[in-house]
Amino acid sequence: MNLLDECFAANRLWAKDAVENDPEFFKRLEALQRPEILWIGCSDSRLPPNEIIGRRSGEVFVHRNVANLVEHTDVNCLSVLQYAIDVLQVKHVIVVGHYGCGGVRAAMQSQPLGLIDNWLRHIRDVHLWNRDELNAIADLEARTDRLAELNVEAQVANVCHTTIVQDAWRRGQTVTVHGWIYSLHDGLLRDLGMVIESPDQIPPEYRLFY
Ligand code: CO
């Protein structure tokens, strides 16, 4: 059996098991999608969101791109964020980075990779803003991992600076933004301790409507 035939065979088995365990499973999901979490993560094939946090179908709304970036002109990411908050009413937006991220590593090197260098430019900005701290870390792997953490922090801030999150806060909707980082080494998630849930927690220069 070739790879794609295997995918279909596995899918049939999965659908059969799902109905055997819970006859109403698909009927319920078809009628209603009510996730409480928006996961904004890296496209890396080793980070399947639902699997890592033990959530079933219907429980996590997902946006992924290379190096989990949230850019204020990225209509794709902003549309996911707006739909998740305004329509699905998710309670938590979680930016999930990871150690050993190829995107972060590439952004620390001079080797050109093509179009993606324009996307990864955002990480070079984070590097520049934190140049002193990063340059003080001698070990390249440790420096890359620290930049991955700083990148998550920057993207959490970007989520909070959007009109979407600020509008939600203004109308009294509870939306909490978090930053997590995943280790490919041990499969564990770490909370970077950012819990942002009100405009008081963002710099006044980014505040809207207050
Ligand atoms: Co990555």
Side-chain angles (χ1 to χ4, degrees):
M1 209 188 297
N2 73 27
L3 174 62
L4 300 189
D5 287 338
E6 272 176 34
C7 292
F8 278 97
N11 169 249
R12 283 191 292 271
L13 194 62
W14 174 79
K16 188 164 156 280
D17 281 353
V19 173
E20 271 172 17
N21 290 331
D22 175 2
E24 300 299 309
F25 184 69
F26 291 112
K27 238 174 251 170
R28 208 173 46 245
L29 281 181
E30 210 176 6
L32 190 67
Q33 169 176 229
R34 192 172 284 164
E36 293 192 7
I37 293 172
L38 167 61
W39 170 290
I40 301 176
C42 184
S43 297
D44 194 300
S45 64
R46 298 162 293 183
L47 279 99
N50 287 60
E51 211 172 306
I52 289 172
I53 54 173
R55 298 297 97 192
R56 288 160 55 101
S57 299
E59 296 183 344
V60 188
F61 201 60
V62 174
H63 177 75
R64 295 171 74 181
N65 60 45
V66 174
N68 41 272
L69 299 178
V70 176
E71 283 312 311
H72 62 274
T73 53
D74 177 4
V75 176
N76 182 355
C77 183
L78 293 179
S79 300
V80 171
L81 185 64
Q82 189 259 324
Y83 187 77
I85 289 178
D86 292 358
V87 181
L88 298 175
Q89 308 252 307
V90 298
K91 295 185 168 58
H92 303 279
V93 177
I94 310 171
V95 177
V96 187
H98 68 107
Y99 296 130
C101 183
V104 174
R105 196 177 298 126
M108 294 178 82
Q109 294 167 354
S110 304
Q111 172 74 35
L113 295 176
L115 174 68
I116 195 161
D117 293 323
N118 297 284
W119 180 248
L120 297 177
R121 225 300 303 277
H122 298 298
I123 304 179
R124 291 183 191 270
D125 292 339
V126 178
H127 194 168
L128 180 65
W129 301 331
N130 298 280
R131 180 196 263 167
D132 293 345
E133 180 190 340
L134 289 164
N135 285 351
I137 304 171
D139 180 66
L140 178 62
E141 207 54 37
R143 202 184 321 143
T144 310
D145 287 349
R146 181 59 187 144
L147 180 54
E149 291 176 353
L150 292 167
N151 180 47
V152 169
E153 289 177 15
Q155 307 318 318
V156 165
N158 284 348
V159 170
C160 299
H161 301 164
T162 61
T163 54
I164 299 154
V165 167
Q166 295 200 45
D167 276 346
W169 286 339
R170 184 166 55 101
R171 43 175 202 263
Q173 188 177 334
T174 302
V175 178
T176 312
V177 188
H178 313 260
W180 292 357
I181 194 137
Y182 176 81
S183 169
L184 294 169
H185 181 64
D186 59 13
L188 294 177
L189 282 166
R190 286 161 185 80
D191 190 341
L192 292 177
M194 310 175 77
V195 178
I196 304 184
E197 52 197 351
S198 94
D200 306 337
Q201 294 170 271
I202 65 177
E205 291 79 1
Y206 290 110
R207 282 182 216 160
L208 300 164
F209 313 115
Y210 295 93

